[in-house]
Amino acid sequence: MAVTLRLPPAAARFTGAAAPRPGRPTPRPSWLAAATVLLVCVPTGEKDVTAAVHVTPADLASLALVALTAVQLLRGRLPRLDRAAATLFGAVVLAAAVATVHSVDPAASLTGFVRLVQIFVLVPAAVLLAVRDRNDRRLVLGSFVLAALIEGAVGAVQYLTRTGASYTGQPIRAVGTFGALDIMAMSGVVSFGLLAALGLALAERRPGGSRPLRRAMWASAAFLAFPLAVSFSRGSWIATAVAATVLLLRADARLAVRGVLVGAAAAVVLVGGLGLGASGVTERLSSIGSVSAAPDQSVSDRYDLWATAGRIWQDHPVAGAGPKAFQQLRDSHAPLRLSSGSDAADSTIGFQREPLLSPHNMYFLVLSEQGLLGVVAYLALFLTLLLGCLRRATGPGLAALALLCWVLWDFLYADIGGTTTVLTSVVLGLAARTALPGPDSRAANGPDSRGANGT
């Protein structure tokens, strides 16, 4: 006769676990986290980039995730956030609230406050609570891989059939389903998927790991390298290289060396031998070395935007100018040589000038709009997650470490905005699950996860 042991409610509260409810299966919020990632691929049409609010299907799924998580918390089916997570997320909310109250335009900053709380607090906290075990983590990471394969396939076709966005006057730039006005979106999705695939493949190297899954992930990562290359995004290339290096070094230093050799050999075969993207990729790679000595117009504009953010911060040093205030104050603080916008063109929109509405650096954006209070709050969150992931990441947690490294590095020359912004939230939630383990963290990280002392 089988015997089932159940924790009494008092013991469940003591351990931080929710008391089991017999009879009905508890909904798995991780499915909504995976849906949030996949719905990013749904085309939303060309949008007015100057509009205050853009609500996408992925945003709606993320809000449904937050709602379901809140309901399960109220019913006692999920453990509460631990003190460290609550403190870090609460500091971000407080900094954004203070900046909104002291904004140069509080009414306009209110929508920015809501967006910041969604992206950096509510959705990451919901993902942190939704990922209960190893299967949840595989599900969410697998959704990153699937979304990347979808966008990568579309992008590859765009390059091969010359139906993409304009690059050096030719319609060859892979942009996936996002269009020329969201030029960086596809490269970000593909980068996330490539890193998630690498992380899952490395996680399955342990004894008892799934060989078919490992092979599928290696194959997915290999395929995604091509659409990433023909996205012609220098920022995504660099961020992916940095994140993959951290991932491989954390998993196996010898494997990192082999990975570099295999990657170099594949690049020689694809670009040098088969000529896939040869001229554009080679030209773009060579331009990386000239960003400081002889920067092109896009790089020069980025430097000027950073300087503009610094000047805004000097006028509002403690609480900042308020969320969404950068675009209002840009012209009064920018140098005269700053361009009015960047060029965008494809077969759908024709040629357009896209205004430069942010400093294209998340850290400068926070500094100018939320001041020193915001910088301290965000850096505390980011550094805690990074150090925690470096210390604890094993199994599927390796992918969370890689995705977090990509985001933090990309923030050096990009900021939140566009259709794929909500993916940043999911990444932060996965990283929080690894770096800020709660009572059920061993189940989430897998049987090979390390304890709090790194042993």
Side-chain angles (χ1 to χ4, degrees), residues 80-108:
R80 295 185 294 271
L81 287 176
D82 64 14
R83 184 176 300 177
T87 300
L88 291 169
F89 290 136
V92 172
V93 174
L94 179 62
V98 171
T100 301
V101 170
H102 291 85
S103 171
V104 296
D105 187 351

Side-chain angles (χ1 to χ4, degrees), residues 291-305:
V291 294
S292 58
D296 56 32
Q297 185 61 51
S298 65
V299 176
S300 177
D301 284 342
R302 195 157 291 173
Y303 292 158
D304 288 337
L305 289 169

Side-chain angles (χ1 to χ4, degrees), residues 283-294:
E283 176 186 349
R284 200 65 165 165
L285 281 172
S286 63
S287 69
I288 293 176
S290 63
V291 294
S292 58

